Amino acid sequence: GMMANNLIPARAGELARAYVLGQRERISKTTSLGTIAVDRIFDGVTLVPMMLIVAAFAGRDTSFDVGAGSWTVSLNFAGLGAAMAVLFGIGMAILFYLAFSERGRAQTHALVTFFLPARLEPKIERLLNSFYDGLHALRSPVDLGVAWAMSLVSWMLEATMYYMVARAFGIHEGYHVFLLLTAAANLAIAIVASQGGVGPFEIVVSKTVVAFGAGKGAASAYALGLHALLLFPIIAIGLYLIWSMKLTFGDMLKSSDLGNGADGEEPPAADARTPRIVPPHVTKEPAAE
């Protein structure tokens, strides 16, 4: 999935990840998309507080141009964190609403099917139910705690990698700077979804380390070297894995059978913790609850 995101536009690696997970583990690919949505939300839940907390005590600041064309705005660390907190907050609210509210799922079903031919309604209902199955972790406090802890560990490991590479380029700032850098760079490329993050990543990395005292030449070299170390090994490993699994990019980007399990089979029964859609025109007997 990360390899495809680096090579294919529009975050298509998320579809590739769902397809491969569905093929390998024989689960609904739409359920996989639900888990990926939760995964991305937890990235924000980890990175936004990390950036705001470190920026508040770092004593240095800088600004970045975020957006494209006439929609470009200049944001410092606090502004970027606030903007992303709003975006991730909205996303999290929607996912929690769909995970906990049967009414919300029914409203979503009604809205989606309103614009589609009636013959597609059964398939859309199945796809939506599968997606909601992927949200079941949001209903468990234990799962939420584990997900957040694992997200925090993974991002701290990435920050450690940034710190070690900086030492190789003669940049000797404290570890907190690279926690801030990790959060800012990854949040910025989440807004500006360029190919592999090329461009926004280098700008944020170089500006951040310059703000903390590094020379512009060393900062530019570090940004390019760091991004190369993030991109090329993942691309090479990903290409090897799709070759070893006898897949192609065309296979991974299939979307016509997202509602089915591997090899076109029906997905397994839904997790009992995730209630099903009740279409607005269907009346359920109380016993069916």
Side-chain angles (χ1 to χ4, degrees):
M2 294 172 66
M3 176 273 295
N5 271 340
N6 290 337
L7 296 179
I8 305 173
R11 307 290 295 182
E14 311 301 2
L15 289 176
R17 179 175 162 187
Y19 178 84
V20 174
L21 186 59
Q23 290 293 102
R24 300 287 290 183
E25 302 300 327
R26 305 185 69 81
I27 62 174
S28 165
K29 302 176 187 70
T30 319
T31 300
S32 299
L33 282 177
T35 68
I36 291 168
V38 174
D39 183 16
R40 290 292 170 254
I41 288 295
F42 272 95
D43 286 344
V45 170
T46 303
L47 292 174
V48 171
M50 179 188 294
M51 185 172 68
L52 291 175
I53 292 170
V54 176
F57 295 97
R60 306 283 181 89
D61 204 353
T62 188
S63 61
F64 316 100
D65 291 331
V66 177
S70 60
W71 294 94
T72 301
V73 295
S74 184
L75 297 175
N76 61 5
F77 291 124
L80 178 61
M84 296 306 293
V86 170
L87 293 176
F88 279 106
I90 293 171
M92 175 171 284
I94 291 172
L95 292 184
F96 270 94
Y97 183 57
L98 294 176
F100 283 92
S101 171
E102 186 172 339
R103 179 182 177 185
R105 292 188 291 274
Q107 289 173 338
T108 303
H109 177 274
L111 180 64
V112 171
T113 55
F114 178 79
F115 296 99
L116 295 173
R119 61 186 175 81
L120 294 178
E121 186 170 340
K123 182 173 183 179
I124 295 303
E125 184 174 333
R126 186 177 73 246
L127 291 174
L128 288 173
N129 278 325
S130 295
F131 179 78
Y132 300 143
D133 290 343
L135 304 181
H136 71 77
L138 296 177
R139 302 172 62 84
S140 166
V142 174
D143 288 347
L144 288 175
V146 171
W148 181 81
M150 295 302 293
S151 180
L152 178 62
V153 169
S154 69
W155 285 114
M156 290 185 70
L157 287 171
E158 181 159 327
T160 302
M161 180 258 197
Y162 288 23
Y163 175 84
M164 295 171 67
V165 174
R167 290 297 185 271
F169 281 85
I171 298 172
H172 298 281
E173 304 302 329
Y175 181 71
H176 67 285
V177 174
F178 300 96
L179 289 173
L180 180 62
L181 176 57
T182 299
N186 284 282
L187 290 172
I189 64 176
I191 299 176
V192 186
S194 63
Q195 201 79 23
V198 175
F201 182 90
E202 283 78 7
I203 292 171
V204 172
V205 169
S206 59
K207 281 194 168 188
T208 300
V209 294
V210 166
F212 283 89
K216 290 186 177 180
S220 297
Y222 169 62
L224 291 171
L226 177 63
H227 208 184
L229 288 171
L230 288 169
L231 292 178
F232 293 129
I234 291 296
I235 291 172
I237 293 169
L239 290 173
Y240 169 75
L241 290 174
I242 65 169
W243 173 80
S244 68
M245 291 187 287
K246 297 181 172 58
L247 294 173
T248 67
F249 281 102
D251 292 331
M252 292 194 302
L253 298 180
K254 284 179 181 177
S255 58
S256 60
D257 61 346
L258 275 177
N260 296 330
D263 304 319
E265 295 178 0
E266 286 297 312
D271 191 303
R273 290 173 288 181
T274 305
R276 319 302 293 155
I277 289 174
V278 183
H281 60 277
V282 176
T283 301
K284 289 179 70 176
E285 295 297 329
E289 296 290 332

